[in-house]
Amino acid sequence: MAGSTYENELFEKLKMIRQGYRAPRQVLQSLYARMMLEYSVYEFTKARFERLIDKALDDKDEDAFHTLTSQYNDWIVKYQSGNTISEHGYELECNFEAVKPPISS
């Protein structure tokens, strides 16, 4: 059974970090689980902001639009350079996607 893209990326990054030394299976599983959780939270939060901003536009609520776009821009800045997950001395840099630029308000 072929591994997922995330799993392949995880193994490749860990391989580079430890120069061929394979991390214990438990560490790999923990990093993989944490990476998937981070990705899920990122996608959920991004969709939530997009939905709320769209609603503010539909309702022509300028104050809500400016407030939400400001919050979105502050939030998205945290993910522009990725997120590092660490476990027992192993680190994994997670870049979820080409992060969208901040929204002009």
Side-chain angles (χ1 to χ4, degrees):
M1 182 167 110
S4 71
T5 303
Y6 293 117
E7 191 172 339
N8 292 338
E9 180 181 334
L10 174 66
F11 284 122
E12 193 61 35
K13 287 184 179 186
L14 287 174
K15 182 178 169 186
M16 291 183 336
I17 292 169
R18 290 293 182 183
Q19 300 173 353
Y21 175 76
R22 188 172 177 155
R25 185 176 198 86
Q26 184 178 9
V27 172
L28 294 174
Q29 290 171 340
S30 177
L31 284 168
Y32 184 71
R34 291 177 63 196
M35 179 180 63
M36 293 308 296
L37 180 61
E38 287 287 329
Y39 178 75
S40 296
V41 168
Y42 170 81
E43 284 295 318
F44 174 81
T45 304
K46 182 176 81 166
R48 181 180 158 270
F49 270 120
E50 290 171 351
R51 189 174 55 252
L52 291 171
I53 289 168
D54 287 346
K55 183 177 180 342
L57 286 170
D58 290 343
D59 295 345
K60 296 178 177 46
D61 187 343
E62 193 172 330
D63 291 334
F65 173 77
H66 288 295
T67 300
L68 289 165
T69 55
S70 176
Q71 290 173 356
Y72 174 80
N73 290 336
D74 292 343
W75 174 80
I76 204 74
V77 164
K78 290 192 247 181
Y79 287 93
Q80 284 180 334
S81 61
N83 191 7
T84 303
I85 298 170
S86 61
E87 181 81 24
H88 296 289
Y90 293 89
E91 289 187 342
L92 177 66
E93 182 69 30
C94 299
N95 296 311
F96 303 122
E97 66 176 277
V99 178
K100 293 179 181 179
I103 297 174
S104 299
S105 52

